Amino acid sequence: MRNVLTSMRFMLFWILGSVLALYGTVVLTIIILFASSLVAAFIFMITQQELTVFAAVLFTAVVWSIIGLLLGLIVGSVQKSLLQQKTEESWQGWIIASALGGIIGLNITGFTVGRQIMTLIATLTIPPKEAILLLGLQLLLIPLATIGICQASILMRYVNGAWAWVLANVVSGIVVVSLGIATATGAIVAPFSVLITMLALSAAPGIVTGFAMLWLINFNWK
């Protein structure tokens, strides 16, 4: 009975922490993108020259790295705190792995998706629904999978089958995209308010990964 109650508490705080981490990252991302735009404009005004391709790529990589670092630090810190309470283990290296995954994932996502978006803009092409779906999947699956892979290197110290954690992160991204499509097409908006729908979308990753982590801890603990 005690294990059931602690598991329920773990899930509740895991979902809540995931939602807060998501919105916190979104707010910080907006601030960083705005600040980086001001920095780029300031550099242009000072030098009176456009950035070279190399400088533009380097500047973009720095911006994506900062966003990825903050994403990893926020998510990793919340998760580590809950994992320590649940298992009473140190989980050393979890935040570092999360930050590394965030940096790598955001850079891959930024350059991959950014190039596709720039191509669409340059050719003045209106993407079909399939292309929008593919972009949405890349925006979520690449960073989530990358963070999951890096975290799995730490998780395998404590549980068997740590690969399931990577799968759970990927599935959580697919669930969000699927719910987003259902929302956009009006399939699930009618019975719910927009606020509840947004909360359901933002809570989905925490629900999927929370259950996966509980399963690993309760049944695959070394």
Side-chain angles (χ1 to χ4, degrees):
M1 184 65 180
R2 181 177 179 274
N3 185 52
V4 173
L5 293 176
T6 56
S7 295
M8 291 177 61
R9 179 180 178 276
F10 175 84
M11 275 297 303
L12 177 63
F13 283 102
W14 185 278
I15 296 170
L16 179 61
S18 298
V19 172
L20 293 177
L22 172 63
Y23 286 113
T25 302
V26 170
V27 172
L28 289 175
T29 298
I30 294 173
I31 294 174
I32 292 170
L33 290 176
F34 178 73
S36 62
S37 300
L38 293 179
V39 171
F42 178 76
I43 293 175
F44 174 75
M45 290 176 59
I46 296 297
T47 61
Q48 293 297 313
Q49 294 179 351
E50 294 185 0
L51 292 175
T52 63
V53 175
F54 175 77
V57 171
L58 180 61
F59 183 80
T60 304
V62 171
V63 173
W64 287 124
S65 296
I66 294 174
I67 296 173
L69 174 64
L70 291 175
L71 169 64
L73 290 177
I74 294 172
V75 172
S77 298
V78 171
Q79 292 177 341
K80 181 179 180 179
S81 176
L82 294 172
L83 289 170
Q84 286 178 327
Q85 294 178 26
K86 176 65 177 176
T87 64
E88 298 183 355
E89 297 287 345
S90 64
W91 293 91
Q92 185 175 1
W94 186 264
I95 296 178
I96 295 176
S98 303
L100 181 61
I103 293 172
I104 296 174
L106 262 291
N107 273 285
I108 295 175
T109 305
F111 285 108
T112 301
V113 177
R115 183 176 60 181
Q116 298 174 52
I117 293 176
M118 291 302 296
T119 300
L120 292 173
I121 294 175
T123 57
L124 299 177
T125 303
I126 299 177
K129 294 180 179 179
E130 294 77 10
I132 296 176
L133 173 61
L134 182 60
L135 287 174
L137 285 172
Q138 292 177 80
L139 281 171
L140 285 175
L141 296 189
I142 295 175
L144 287 174
T146 308
I147 292 175
I149 291 171
C150 292
Q151 289 179 335
S153 65
I154 306 299
L155 186 60
M156 65 176 57
R157 301 175 187 170
Y158 303 98
V159 302
N160 296 310
W163 59 268
W165 178 244
V166 181
L167 180 61
N169 279 273
V170 172
V171 170
S172 70
I174 295 175
V175 170
V176 172
V177 174
S178 300
L179 289 175
I181 293 173
T183 301
T185 56
I188 63 173
V189 173
F192 303 100
S193 67
V194 175
L195 177 60
I196 294 177
T197 303
M198 291 301 298
L199 287 175
L201 285 171
S202 55
I207 295 173
V208 175
T209 57
F211 275 113
M213 183 60 75
L214 270 181
W215 177 76
L216 288 169
I217 292 175
N218 290 333
F219 300 103
N220 285 39
W221 191 259
K222 288 184 177 180

